[in-house]
Amino acid sequence: MLPAIVFRQMHAGGLHHGAATTLKHVLGVGGNSFVNCLNRYAAATGFIRISFLDINQRRNWDVARLRLYADAKKQSLHLRTLQGRDLLQNAIDKQRAEFIERKNFLVDDIREARHKVQERVREKIDEIREERENIMTIPNMLTISRAILSPYIGYVIVQGDYTMGMSLLVIAGITDLLDGQIARRWPSQASKAGSFLDPMADKLLMGSLVISLCYSELLPMWLTGVVVFRDVFLIGAGFVIRYISLPPPKTFSRYFDATHVTAQLEPTFISKVNTGVQLATIGISLGAPIWNYLDHPALHGLWYLTGVTTVAAALSYVINRRDTFKIIHKK
């Protein structure tokens, strides 16, 4: 047990110079030789397995172990840095791929939206082109000339030149017959705008004639009022139909653009009969001072017939309003 006790004491107190000197005096051997003896004894007996090192060897062993530990930590830190860099690079590459994918999707979406807008613009342009038509046709020119001639006929009648007024009235009647015949015989000369221009010109002619005849006392006041009221009513209805049928945007220029047709008028049968009766009444009343049959009973009867047909024609437009005009939509 002596070596073990000595080892513990030496290990607890450390091998210093005084202890080595004491051992040398006691056992007659130096400190290093004694440690070697203890090592050989411990190895032979199996009592304890430990190497006794001197102070310098132990210090060198701790420094070497610290260096190995520092190298291991440095290597571990380097490996972790490489792993972190790889992870960061992978994350950057993934984010870049997602960004490129989103950018491509956004670009495709913008291109698709641009193509849709262009397609809508083309459709609108085609729609406007389809809605527009050529109004410079022969029937329309005849209708416009009749409308321009109407105030002048009224002026001639007011001046008392009934013969000249009768001649101009015949010319206006011929233009009314010609424009209808040409539009029916040659479809290329027909136009939807003519369905509004022709009755408007007739109303303007009829209004100018009845007012001038009433002023010249060739037509009763009550019949003049009935005819003018009906014509004003139909003209106002035409403006309302134009506003309703005009697609957005409802601008002032588009509203009065005659080439932009939005509705088609279909006159009723009683309206056609009334137009003929009114023209006959105007012509016969205008010829009364020329052929000297003023205040003839037949003339008074014709006035009452004209008043009845005029009221009936106005009511027919109100009752059959869904069949008298048609709003034009794009197919």
Side-chain angles (χ1 to χ4, degrees):
M1 295 299 290
L2 179 62
I5 294 170
V6 172
F7 163 73
R8 289 174 182 154
Q9 290 177 354
M10 291 176 64
H11 184 69
L15 289 177
H16 48 83
H17 182 73
T21 304
T22 303
L23 289 173
K24 182 177 180 180
H25 285 289
V26 174
L27 299 175
V29 295
N32 292 332
S33 300
F34 178 72
V35 171
N36 292 331
C37 291
L38 290 178
N39 285 334
R40 287 194 296 272
Y41 176 78
T45 60
F47 179 74
I48 185 170
R49 300 189 63 83
I50 187 170
S51 295
F52 293 92
L53 303 176
D54 59 2
I55 299 302
N56 294 328
Q57 289 178 342
R58 185 172 182 179
R59 185 184 301 113
N60 294 333
W61 179 77
D62 290 338
V63 171
R65 187 173 64 179
L66 288 174
R67 287 179 178 175
L68 292 176
Y69 180 76
D71 292 339
K73 286 294 183 180
K74 182 178 180 181
Q75 186 69 20
S76 177
L77 181 62
H78 180 66
L79 292 176
R80 291 182 181 181
T81 302
L82 294 178
Q83 292 177 356
R85 186 174 63 183
D86 293 338
L87 291 175
L88 181 60
Q89 186 65 35
N90 292 333
I92 293 174
D93 294 339
K94 184 177 179 181
Q95 291 292 332
R96 182 182 300 169
E98 292 179 356
F99 176 76
I100 294 174
E101 183 179 359
R102 291 179 182 178
K103 184 189 72 174
N104 295 332
F105 178 78
L106 182 61
V107 170
D108 294 338
D109 193 14
I110 293 174
R111 289 177 179 175
E112 184 179 358
R114 185 179 63 184
H115 290 323
K116 288 182 178 180
V117 171
Q118 292 176 352
E119 191 67 23
R120 291 292 299 275
V121 170
R122 294 192 190 99
E123 291 179 357
K124 287 295 182 182
I125 292 174
D126 295 339
E127 181 180 351
I128 292 174
R129 287 177 178 175
E130 289 180 1
E131 290 175 351
R132 295 181 181 274
E133 64 176 1
N134 182 23
I135 63 171
M136 304 302 292
T137 59
I138 295 176
N140 290 342
M141 293 298 100
L142 292 173
T143 301
I144 294 173
S145 64
R146 185 169 70 254
I148 296 174
L149 187 61
S150 298
Y152 181 71
I153 297 175
Y155 173 77
V156 171
I157 293 173
V158 170
Q159 295 298 318
D161 192 353
Y162 303 121
T163 304
M164 182 64 178
M166 180 64 71
S167 301
L168 294 176
L169 179 60
V170 172
I171 294 173
I174 292 173
T175 60
D176 192 13
L177 292 175
L178 286 177
D179 62 10
Q181 291 296 325
I182 294 173
R184 282 189 291 269
R185 290 180 180 271
W186 289 278
S188 62
Q189 295 295 315
S191 64
K192 298 180 179 64
S195 64
F196 273 94
L197 291 176
D198 185 68
M200 291 294 177
D202 292 339
K203 301 302 179 290
L204 182 59
L205 176 63
M206 202 63 59
S208 300
L209 291 174
V210 296
I211 292 174
S212 59
L213 289 174
C214 180
Y215 181 83
S216 301
E217 297 182 354
L218 297 177
L219 205 67
M221 180 67 73
W222 65 267
L223 182 58
T224 302
V226 171
V227 173
V228 171
F229 176 79
R230 176 214 179 226
D231 292 345
V232 171
F233 169 75
L234 293 179
I235 292 173
F239 281 106
V240 173
I241 293 171
R242 171 66 171 179
Y243 181 80
I244 294 174
S245 61
L246 184 66
K250 298 183 179 182
T251 60
F252 186 81
S253 59
R254 295 184 71 227
Y255 183 83
F256 289 99
D257 187 0
T259 63
H260 188 193
V261 181
T262 57
Q264 184 176 3
L265 182 64
E266 185 65 30
T268 61
F269 174 75
I270 188 64
S271 177
K272 296 178 181 179
V273 172
N274 175 248
T275 301
V277 172
Q278 284 184 355
L279 287 174
T281 303
I282 295 298
I284 294 172
S285 299
L286 183 59
I290 300 174
W291 294 295
N292 297 320
Y293 54 83
L294 292 172
D295 293 332
H296 195 280
L299 184 60
H300 288 272
L302 185 60
W303 291 343
Y304 286 108
L305 177 62
T306 304
V308 172
T309 56
T310 301
V311 175
L315 292 177
S316 67
Y317 280 109
V318 176
I319 295 173
N320 301 319
R321 57 184 179 276
R322 293 185 179 180
D323 299 329
T324 54
F325 69 92
K326 180 177 65 176
I327 296 177
I328 300 173
H329 297 284
K330 180 183 176 183
K331 296 181 181 180

